[in-house]
Amino acid sequence: MPRIELSSGPIDYQDTGGEGPVLVFGHGLPMNETQWRKVVPQLDGYRCVLPTLPLGGHRLPMNPDADLSQRGVALLLGEFIEKLALDQVTLVLNDWGGGQFLVSEGRARRIARLVLVACEAFDNFPPGPAKAMAQVCRVPGGVRLLTRLMRIPAFRHNRGGYGGMSLRGIPDEIMDDWFAPATRSRAIRRDFAKFATGAPDRRTLLDWSERLSDFDRPVLVVWATEDRLMPREHGPRLAELYPQGRLIEIADSSTLIPEDQPERLVEVLTDFLVQTGAEPVRQVDRAREQRPERAVRRRIS
């Protein structure tokens, strides 16, 4: 897996490569790129870049002095995009919504469009059921306790926690992979705790949210109708906040729409991309091949 050294430490990432429009995918706590394993293979013609952000599922620890607050991780994501020289990026977020703070921080120059998939918004950082986990992470040894509890099936699959993030259920091997780094490494647990407890107060969050209306590029808001973490009213509220926002609700899904409804998510995502000028390379190439033929026919006739 490629790795890039940023100001706060190393970031692993996957990159499908190619000449297509660039999609950068964020993930949740303490997840990694496998959150999108059902979606990315269906995006032929796009360059998909998936950084493993330091949200607790990262495999190498960050520098001890790294700022892993919500704002700090958002700025780190922006640095990642800049250092890879990615431009005209479609930023796709699910669960973690902090990538939106690139807008409030005035660092969204390289972002051409946003896709917000059932993610944190407004003052919902962290989401309601996760607030108790954040309190646990404030206690010395709290993250270690959490990793041990996650080995217990009744706790792992509890509908009030991670078990409620997917109606289909997250496979055990995937969840094992998400929690493995924090289980093994004290330094990763330190990073986990920094992020889990790094949300600002409600007033600050709402102030940052007001600045999102400055983003005048296309925004697709995709919300789940059976989500336990992200309030349903936040979907239309987000779509209204962004000047070019549009909302699509997906039924029979909880927070992890990429897990519950990947085909439907790919459908609405690709429709949005094409409608806003980000066609996959194969369609662009086909159009280029057809245009000269039509021109020849006109000259002959």
Side-chain angles (χ1 to χ4, degrees), residues 272-285:
F272 169 71
L273 291 169
V274 170
Q275 291 169 12
T276 57
E279 293 189 1
V281 162
R282 65 182 185 276
Q283 291 186 14
V284 173
D285 287 347

Side-chain angles (χ1 to χ4, degrees), residues 6-18:
L6 301 181
S7 59
S8 293
I11 296 288
D12 291 332
Y13 65 98
Q14 288 186 350
D15 187 347
T16 62

Side-chain angles (χ1 to χ4, degrees), residues 39-280:
V39 170
V40 169
Q42 301 184 58
L43 293 171
D44 183 41
Y46 291 97
R47 179 184 175 188
C48 298
V49 182
L50 300 94
T52 302
L53 299 169
L55 310 190
H58 54 302
R59 300 167 183 93
L60 288 176
M62 305 303 284
N63 300 337
D65 62 349
D67 177 3
L68 301 183
S69 65
Q70 290 283 345
R71 177 180 179 274
V73 174
L75 292 176
L76 195 64
L77 174 61
E79 183 184 347
F80 171 82
I81 291 170
E82 290 174 6
K83 196 151 187 180
L84 284 185
L86 305 176
D87 211 356
Q88 291 296 299
V89 166
T90 299
L91 180 59
V92 187
L93 303 175
N94 175 226
D95 185 26
W96 178 59
Q100 296 176 86
F101 299 143
L102 286 173
V103 175
S104 55
E105 292 294 323
R107 297 287 296 276
R109 178 177 63 85
R110 294 178 179 268
I111 309 299
R113 56 188 67 75
L114 289 171
V115 179
L116 307 176
V117 183
C119 64
E120 296 163 319
F122 303 108
D123 57 348
N124 194 38
F125 288 82
K131 293 187 188 301
M133 184 184 73
Q135 293 303 316
V136 170
C137 291
R138 294 182 188 278
V139 178
V143 177
R144 187 175 183 85
L145 172 63
L146 179 63
T147 61
R148 291 180 175 180
L149 288 172
M150 289 302 296
R151 301 175 190 173
I152 303 171
F155 185 87
R156 169 180 288 203
H157 300 297
N158 187 284
R159 302 298 290 175
Y162 281 91
M165 297 187 74
S166 167
L167 300 185
R168 307 291 183 270
I170 306 166
D172 282 333
E173 63 271 19
I174 296 297
M175 200 172 289
D176 287 344
D177 183 51
W178 291 348
F179 279 90
T183 301
R184 294 191 301 260
S185 168
R186 182 177 182 179
I188 298 288
R189 292 194 293 273
R190 173 203 66 204
D191 294 347
F192 189 127
K194 276 188 181 183
F195 177 76
T197 61
D201 59 52
R202 182 174 184 270
R203 178 175 295 180
T204 301
L205 286 167
L206 292 177
D207 178 60
W208 289 354
S209 297
E210 289 181 6
R211 303 181 205 168
L212 299 179
S213 61
D214 294 337
F215 190 80
D216 59 356
R217 281 146 272 173
V219 177
L220 175 64
V221 178
V222 184
W223 229 245
T225 61
E226 298 176 58
D227 196 337
R228 293 169 175 261
L229 275 72
M230 313 303 169
R232 188 164 182 182
E233 63 270 18
H234 279 190
R237 187 176 163 192
L238 265 181
E240 185 175 340
L241 175 65
Y242 286 101
Q244 292 194 49
R246 62 188 77 179
L247 171 68
I248 292 180
E249 290 190 328
I250 292 183
D252 195 25
S253 181
S254 189
T255 309
L256 295 181
I257 298 177
E259 194 72 34
D260 287 344
Q261 295 290 345
E263 291 81 10
R264 177 63 177 144
L265 178 57
V266 168
E267 179 185 359
V268 300
L269 172 58
T270 53
D271 283 350
F272 169 71
L273 291 169
V274 170
Q275 291 169 12
T276 57
E279 293 189 1

